[in-house]
Amino acid sequence: MPVTRCTKMAYASADEMVFGKAVKPVKAGLGLEIGAGYTTPEVNYAPRPEAGESKEKLVKEYERITTDIMARMVQIGAPSVVLETEHVQQMSNNPEWGAAVAHAQKTIMEDYHDEYGIKCALRHTIGDIRESREYLELRGGNKYNVFMEAFEQCAQNGADMLAVESMGGKEVFDYAILRNDMPGVLYGIGVLGSMDMEMIWQDIASVAKKNNVIASGDTDCAQANTAMFIAGGLLDKNLAHTLAIIARSISAARSLVAYEAGAVGPGKDCGYENSIIKAIAGVPIAQEGKTSTCAHSDLMGNLTMQCCDLWSNESVEYHGEFGGTTVQCWAETLAYDCALMNVALDSGNEKMLRDMLAASDMYRDAQGYVLAYQNAYRVGQAIAKDGNDIYLRAKNAALESIKIVEEGARGKLELSRFESKALADAKAALEALTDDKEQFMSDCLTKYKEEVKVFKPENYGLK
Amino acid sequence: MPVTRCTKMAYASADEMVFGKAVKPVKAGLGLEIGAGYTTPEVNYAPRPEAGESKEKLVKEYERITTDIMARMVQIGAPSVVLETEHVQQMSNNPEWGAAVAHAQKTIMEDYHDEYGIKCALRHTIGDIRESREYLELRGGNKYNVFMEAFEQCAQNGADMLAVESMGGKEVFDYAILRNDMPGVLYGIGVLGSMDMEMIWQDIASVAKKNNVIASGDTDCAQANTAMFIAGGLLDKNLAHTLAIIARSISAARSLVAYEAGAVGPGKDCGYENSIIKAIAGVPIAQEGKTSTCAHSDLMGNLTMQCCDLWSNESVEYHGEFGGTTVQCWAETLAYDCALMNVALDSGNEKMLRDMLAASDMYRDAQGYVLAYQNAYRVGQAIAKDGNDIYLRAKNAALESIKIVEEGARGKLELSRFESKALADAKAALEALTDDKEQFMSDCLTKYKEEVKVFKPENYGLK
Amino acid sequence: MIDIDPSDILVRYNVKMEKEMTPEEAAEDLYPKDSTVYPIAKAIFEGEEDDVVEGLEKAIDSGKDPISLIDEALMVGMRVVTKLYDEGVIFLPNVMMSADAMLAGIEYCKSQTSEVPEPKGKVVCHVAEGDVHDIGKNIVAALLRAAGYDVVDLGRDVPVDEVVAAVEKENPLMLTGTALMTTTMYAFKEINDKLMEKGYRIPFACGGGAVNQDFVSQYDLGVYGEEAADAPKMADFIKEHGDNIVKLREQFHRH
Amino acid sequence: MIDIDPSDILVRYNVKMEKEMTPEEAAEDLYPKDSTVYPIAKAIFEGEEDDVVEGLEKAIDSGKDPISLIDEALMVGMRVVTKLYDEGVIFLPNVMMSADAMLAGIEYCKSQTSEVPEPKGKVVCHVAEGDVHDIGKNIVAALLRAAGYDVVDLGRDVPVDEVVAAVEKENPLMLTGTALMTTTMYAFKEINDKLMEKGYRIPFACGGGAVNQDFVSQYDLGVYGEEAADAPKMADFIKEHGDNIVKLREQFHRH
Ligand code: B12
Ligand code: B12
């Protein structure tokens, strides 16, 4: 599939962005339309460890998970639901395992759809298995073939939507983020990550097209989320939150590549960059926040709802709770969150609710501040402005986010001295960079080849 | 303490009721004020089974739980939190166990309060241990003494608020509810339950007063919640939801007795009758719903938020999840829910949000319809009208709820044929009842003494 | 209040799915045609104790044997009830009221003869030590009785040793346990171990809010039951296929 | 957008709690006063490799023994860093940069002599089989190195047998494992069992997102660590108090 760069905003203004509606809604699965005026819970789950022992056990586990979720949804009257299966490695490394799981799940979902009319769809997220013990092995070779085969087989056997959390650039990013090296982060996410995505997403989109399923999207989980998790809570001391949001803003320029290469959304739940991407590309997005505390803690539990189309719990291990199995508990909570958003949409109060959701967390830390939809929109503009240059647009995003945080800090956004200092250092380092992509790339190639022993330029078709 | 019946509404109109504000706010614990303009998460938890083996293990378990919750709250910037410890039986049967747990928890909470200034309070809910293998043993005797001793010791050792889920009337209720016998439900909850509460709450309020802590409230968990759980989800076939809501409405007349006998709120989380009670008594209330799916499923996940002051997860077993321990995950979700409500309060949009919360579930089943605040208020009026007669007010509540459901069914509330029939049968049975309390009591005494072999009138000072 | 269209927010699947037939019509299709049995079966379905006894009186007057009526009329009526409950046509209170009526009928039959009916089998029921939540157990016991089993109900908060003693004394075909608290359900393991130690191998059906399949699978005799209605099904399964725990689990473990 | 007062909604506890002193001031208080050591310690704190080497050059020129400088200057500087990190005064990247600088310093010292420094102890680190999440392990390894330990880093997705083989070969004072997925962490149990079988009794520190204390407590050698900074503390504890697993758990198990 050809790559079409985004150089314009899908929305004329930030205020047009709301949850449940996307400029380009996506039809998927059994009667579902995403971003077409209502929000839908997207339920995520992880099999119990013992279940990974054999294909049979794993299929059985996913059957239980699927039945539990569907049963709870009809019990509480939820009109629609999406199930996301994030492959455990066995399922991607042995594409027929993934296919068997997809088939088993879809069969159950079809039964429920037939019996109750519940709208539903199945997303399979293939594991990015392109790496060996020491190095990434991003292109060519057997790993790449198995990787694509996994998409193909899932698509053929019941998955309605294909996704991945790709890893391009992470070897450099990992090194850089632990050293406050923001140019390195820019290189890892913005340049290497985007280059890798361009390759894989053209291929994934072709697979999807061939099989008449949805190429949904990617997330910078490997990098921006790692930064967010290392930054942690208010009292953690592992990374300044002002740096985590720079990495996040850069990641928007990267994850956008999926849609430029043929994906149509919904973006993956853990892409906290998705508000920015929705602003640019108009695709529906999944998000997670206060109802994914089962999977992680963050500082923008409400804010992430602001313009989601699917609302997700990210992941929860399957086991029992007083209220049912975990997947039932979390699915139910998500469904009520969606019901509230859908009431707002139905009664014309969606903008009011959206604004309250954003206001809840935009002063909680610098990350929420930048991702609040009106600021996210600005980061989007900074990207679209130089949409044709993957380096420049990522750098723009970084600088715009810094500017937004600085403005915030002059208002109601409090920063610790430490956060301010980290921000100022990052700003200086980023402003000192060239505007020339080739120059930047060759400087970085030299530097990181030397400093990061696991960095192999061949992975990006370099040198 | 003397009993003062409620014969007037605390709110002049339903529309005045919102979350986070109560006519009579309650100061408790360390810097906290409940119902004074903001909502606060109330986190509930159950120790792991193994932890019950010894007092030391149990204390250690609650220490971990307490530390985990407090740590997460400061990590995400939550301004306030309440912890509720529902006693496992060991803690009430051995009052010094409960006391040791209260002391250990409070010590940790004080440390956090001192270090971070976080507002917090500790609620201890004593187990209603007044029963033997065969029968309830509600009054007099050693069980009653231990029961009161448990309140006393917790109050002396750190609990800021005392609560209980009392069981008066449940032997009759259990029999009646499984036989669609609504007069029996009225007798069990409305008459026997109220009589028992009157006795215990005068005593609990005295203990609280003596120790300068808060006598908070009771819930009809033993009866109205049993009915709600048996009624279950939309597709369950164990009890018509139209009957469950009659039991619930009656329970408001019962749980109100706590406040008439000296309690001041906040009402207990699982009292779904609390919206009605807030309307009458003006006390702050805890509620649970979409963020207590860990503990149970219900059909009004959002609606229950409509005028809560504390927002609770009901209970979750302490164990690990990807996102931390269960208490951390659920506490965080609650805290974000509260942040949203607090934004609404801060920006003057609380009524809009309340209305959306109510609208989300009021057509989901008959229960949500009656408990939607404007209808709940009407049930309150029916109770207050004959506030001095515990029988008549409970019967009024039942009949008013039937009327509300009938009205709803003429509008947007759908009922199954089965639900309508159960409602009509219940209406006929209730309308046929006398208005004379003494008559009703003596009829019921005869009937249930014969039919319910575990019913001992002495438990209520009868015969 | 704001105005919404509920159908944009939720689906009343129960209303949508409701069967065309009324429960009465559905029952009518199932009653036996025999004119002495029909009114008894119908009275059972309706939960009318007096009508049951009246029907039995007539049947006995017309020469039927009181004891055979238990199987041939009362149980037949009760099977109509159970079938319709399983199919979701009627609700639990109807089953409870029918069960009450059936038990009254059995008492009446027994009072009309000196014969003793052949027992179907005994089940011991209890709520775990430390736990007072007993309504679930009460339903289980009632449904077992309604299915014709002899129930020894030990009540709630029953010490482990008493449960074991009751099994030794009663020699039931199945033991049931109910626990709604994670702190109390561990008693099931103890009961299991003590039974094993004494050489008992009877199925131990466990259920109740706190209990889950994973937990129950951890001890040899445990079979997890999600709904009360599973209990009589388990007992029936044992009578038909023997008390192999693995097979019971295959049949009843759903998660 | 709506206008709110954030202080009604949330508390920025980090801003509220921030220490009065800047990190630089706090460090200044802790540097050794000795004029040859001072600049080295300071350069370590600042993460300036060149300045570290420069300081070492001067010290060696002034007659100091290269190997003793490792303990007396480099480690001293690193301890300032670790202390301030533990106290929450500085953040992880500072520690990482200081560690880089220190390691450069050690290399330089070693290059100035044929003596070999006395090793503090060896730790083997790995990420569980099937798991690629390795940044946590990288931090663990870096902090261990920064504390002076010799780290054998086996990388990610390491087969159980290779881990066992590495323990046999390296004879470390501790093994660490990282797993972020519930499906991979079970490898730790296998490693434990194989080590036990072969008679090894070394502490096996386990951490990473999926792993929790309950799980780790299930196998004999397991010690759960919540934060990467616990790893060097565990190693120090072992050096000081021996490798008694029960004592390690008492010290490090918090939940
Ligand atoms: C009603 C109730 C009460 C009532 C009990 C009234 C009664 N008649 O039993 C009262 C108020 C007395 C009460 C007291 C307490 N409770 Co309570 N209670 C509940 C509640 C709300 C509903 C339980 C219920 O009646 N369910 C309906 C029945 C029909 O369901 P069931 O028993 O599970 O049975 C069904 C199936 O499980 C099955 N089944 C049951 N047994 C079996 C057996 C077999 C063989 C089979 C096949 C099937 C089967 O059949 C039934 C229908 O299909 C639950 C909430 C919940 N989420 O479950 C809490 C709950 C059980 N209680 C709880 C607690 C903590 C308590 C107290 C300690 C609270 C306190 N501090 O006072 C005390 C405990 C006292 C004690 N020592 O036991 C917790 C337990 C948490 C934990 N630790 O595990 C729960 C889960 C609430 C919560 N989420 O916090 N409680
Ligand atoms: C970033 C990330 C990725 C990146 C990994 C990048 C990298 N460099 O490692 C990528 C995108 C590649 C990825 C891939 C996948 N991931 Co991932 N990922 C994450 C994420 C978002 C953050 C992890 C992270 O970096 N945390 C920060 C680090 C610093 O934390 P840490 O490793 O836990 O270490 C800290 C402590 O634990 C401690 N520590 C660690 N080890 C040790 C050891 C000792 C001895 C001590 C004392 C301390 C200690 O020190 C550190 C700091 O204090 C988590 C989310 C989460 N909630 O954790 C999911 C998560 C781990 N991933 C998950 C999944 C499912 C996957 C995939 C299967 C998804 C897919 N379908 O593609 C694949 C798996 C591939 C594979 N076979 O492993 C799930 C796992 C669920 C489960 N089954 O258990 C998680 C939990 C997300 C979720 N909630 O769904 N992921």
Side-chain angles (χ1 to χ4, degrees), chain D residues 67-124:
Chain D
I67 293 301
S68 70
L69 277 171
I70 296 179
D71 261 10
E72 284 156 27
L74 295 173
M75 288 302 293
V76 169
M78 199 63 212
R79 267 199 293 276
V80 172
V81 174
T82 313
K83 186 167 178 356
L84 293 180
Y85 176 66
D86 279 346
E87 287 173 2
V89 177
I90 60 168
F91 277 43
L92 182 65
N94 306 89
V95 183
M96 296 295 288
M97 290 184 283
S98 296
D100 288 351
M102 190 186 82
L103 294 177
I106 293 181
E107 284 317 304
Y108 178 79
C109 290
K110 287 204 244 169
S111 73
Q112 299 305 305
T113 170
S114 56
E115 269 180 79
V116 187
E118 199 181 321
K120 191 167 171 193
K122 210 180 254 179
V123 179
V124 171

Side-chain angles (χ1 to χ4, degrees), chain A residues 72-87:
Chain A
R72 179 61 61 90
M73 291 296 93
V74 296
Q75 279 284 35
I76 63 163
S80 60
V81 66
V82 169
L83 272 66
E84 182 191 353
T85 300
E86 288 201 352
H87 282 203

Side-chain angles (χ1 to χ4, degrees), chain A residues 48 64 68 318 325 328, chain C residues 213-214 224 226 253-255:
Chain A
R48 284 169 291 193
R64 284 170 177 158
D68 282 1
Y318 184 60
T325 55
Q328 296 185 304
Chain C
Q213 183 176 302
D214 285 347
Y224 173 65
E226 186 139 312
H253 283 199
R254 296 179 205 152
H255 292 293

Side-chain angles (χ1 to χ4, degrees), chain A residues 255-276:
Chain A
S255 299
L256 182 64
V257 174
Y259 312 101
E260 297 177 322
V264 296
K268 268 272 302 165
D269 51 357
C270 66
Y272 282 68
E273 63 271 26
N274 278 348
S275 292
I276 303 171

Side-chain angles (χ1 to χ4, degrees), chain D residues 53-68:
Chain D
V53 172
E54 197 181 300
L56 289 170
E57 262 170 22
K58 285 200 187 133
I60 294 170
D61 288 351
S62 75
K64 296 260 182 186
D65 166 45
I67 293 301
S68 70

Side-chain angles (χ1 to χ4, degrees), chain B residues 196-460:
Chain B
D196 182 54
M197 278 190 66
E198 190 168 325
M199 173 184 73
I200 65 169
W201 275 99
Q202 290 177 276
D203 289 345
I204 298 168
S206 299
V207 171
K209 194 170 179 190
K210 191 174 107 194
N211 294 288
N212 200 20
V213 301
I214 302 296
S216 59
D218 202 318
T219 143
D220 194 29
C221 184
Q223 303 171 106
N225 287 14
T226 298
M228 181 170 83
F229 287 116
I230 298 178
L234 292 180
L235 299 167
D236 283 322
K237 299 280 179 179
N238 289 329
L239 182 67
H241 294 205
T242 39
L243 298 189
I245 186 56
I246 298 176
R248 174 69 62 196
S249 302
I250 294 171
S251 81
R254 166 207 171 271
S255 299
L256 182 65
V257 174
Y259 312 101
E260 297 177 322
V264 297
K268 269 271 303 166
D269 52 357
C270 66
Y272 282 69
E273 62 271 27
N274 279 346
S275 291
I276 303 171
I277 289 174
K278 186 171 184 175
I280 305 173
V283 294
I285 59 173
Q287 289 281 253
E288 61 195 34
K290 75 169 159 191
T291 312
S292 65
T293 55
C294 47
H296 74 276
S297 173
D298 66 48
L299 292 170
M300 42 197 144
N302 285 313
L303 184 139
T304 47
M305 272 172 118
Q306 62 185 359
C307 53
C308 74
D309 300 286
L310 300 178
W311 181 236
S312 153
N313 68 316
E314 185 179 5
S315 184
V316 70
E317 190 191 285
Y318 184 60
H319 57 240
E321 297 286 357
F322 302 151
T325 56
T326 47
V327 293
Q328 296 185 304
C329 299
W330 291 94
E332 179 170 336
T333 305
L334 291 170
Y336 279 112
D337 288 339
C338 288
L340 176 62
M341 290 189 275
N342 293 343
V343 166
L345 284 161
D346 195 68
S347 61
N349 293 308
E350 66 273 27
K351 290 189 177 178
M352 171 65 72
L353 179 57
R354 173 200 63 189
D355 285 359
M356 291 197 287
L357 292 165
S360 159
D361 306 326
M362 63 184 288
Y363 307 110
R364 209 174 284 276
D365 86 338
Q367 299 177 86
Y369 192 79
V370 172
L371 294 176
Y373 70 94
Q374 62 292 55
N375 293 332
Y377 188 87
R378 285 174 56 187
V379 177
Q381 288 175 307
I383 292 169
K385 185 173 60 150
D386 290 307
N388 283 313
D389 184 329
I390 56 163
Y391 161 63
L392 216 49
R393 72 189 200 180
K395 183 174 154 229
N396 290 353
L399 289 170
E400 185 68 20
S401 72
I402 293 171
K403 203 167 140 198
I404 292 168
V405 175
E406 286 175 342
E407 286 171 22
R410 288 193 291 275
K412 293 180 183 175
L413 174 67
E414 286 182 275
L415 294 182
S416 67
R417 274 200 325 267
F418 177 82
E419 291 173 327
S420 302
K421 177 159 187 310
L423 187 73
D425 290 350
K427 183 180 179 185
L430 290 165
E431 280 184 339
L433 295 177
T434 171
D435 274 349
D436 180 37
K437 179 181 166 202
E438 301 312 322
Q439 180 65 48
F440 178 77
M441 285 186 54
S442 94
D443 290 352
C444 286
L445 193 63
T446 315
K447 177 171 157 75
Y448 294 106
K449 248 170 56 179
E450 195 190 307
E451 292 184 12
V452 184
K453 71 173 196 294
V454 294
F455 174 41
K456 292 204 302 190
E458 313 85 273
N459 269 319
Y460 307 91

Side-chain angles (χ1 to χ4, degrees), chain A residues 44-49 62 84-90 92-93 124-129 131 136 147 163-167 170-171 173-174 178 218-231 236 238 254 268-270 288 292-297 313-317, chain B residues 322-324, chain D residues 85 92 125-141 143-144 156-157 174-185 188 204-211 223-232 234 252:
Chain A
N44 282 257
Y45 31 76
R48 284 169 291 193
Y62 282 107
E84 182 191 353
T85 300
E86 288 201 352
H87 282 203
V88 294
Q89 56 87 11
Q90 298 94 313
S92 299
N93 279 322
H124 265 232
T125 298
I126 309 311
D128 189 347
I129 51 171
E131 56 186 327
L136 294 177
F147 184 51
V164 69
E165 311 187 343
S166 67
M167 297 207 292
K170 121 177 163 51
E171 71 288 54
F173 166 85
D174 278 4
L178 291 178
D218 202 318
T219 145
D220 194 30
C221 184
Q223 303 172 103
N225 286 15
T226 299
M228 180 169 85
F229 287 115
I230 298 178
D236 282 321
N238 289 329
R254 165 207 170 273
K268 268 272 302 165
D269 51 357
C270 66
E288 62 194 36
S292 65
T293 55
C294 47
H296 75 276
S297 174
N313 68 315
E314 185 180 5
S315 184
V316 70
E317 190 191 284
Chain B
F322 302 151
Chain D
Y85 176 66
L92 182 65
C125 297
H126 86 287
V127 175
E129 184 164 356
D131 206 323
V132 305
H133 299 90
D134 64 354
I135 197 165
K137 181 267 297 162
N138 293 344
I139 301 172
V140 166
L143 297 184
L144 282 165
R156 63 183 169 226
D157 187 9
M174 179 170 92
L175 168 66
T176 83
T178 295
L180 272 86
M181 300 174 46
T182 46
T183 36
T184 58
M185 67 181 185
F188 294 162
F204 181 13
C206 299
V211 181
V223 183
Y224 174 65
E226 185 140 313
E227 304 168 342
D230 288 337
M234 286 175 185
F252 292 95

Side-chain angles (χ1 to χ4, degrees), chain A residues 322, chain B residues 46-47 86-89 125-128 131 165-167 170 174 221-223 225-226 229-230 238 295-296 314-315, chain C residues 130-137 139-140 176-183 205-210 225-231 234:
Chain A
F322 303 152
Chain B
E86 288 202 353
H87 282 204
V88 292
Q89 56 88 11
T125 299
I126 310 310
D128 190 346
E131 54 186 328
E165 311 188 342
S166 67
M167 296 207 292
K170 120 178 164 55
D174 278 4
C221 184
Q223 303 171 106
N225 287 14
T226 298
F229 287 116
I230 298 178
N238 289 329
H296 74 276
E314 185 179 5
S315 184
Chain C
D131 206 323
V132 306
H133 299 89
D134 63 355
I135 197 166
K137 182 267 296 163
I139 301 173
V140 166
T176 84
T178 296
L180 272 87
M181 300 173 47
T182 47
T183 36
C206 299
E226 186 139 312
E227 305 168 342
D230 289 336
M234 288 174 184

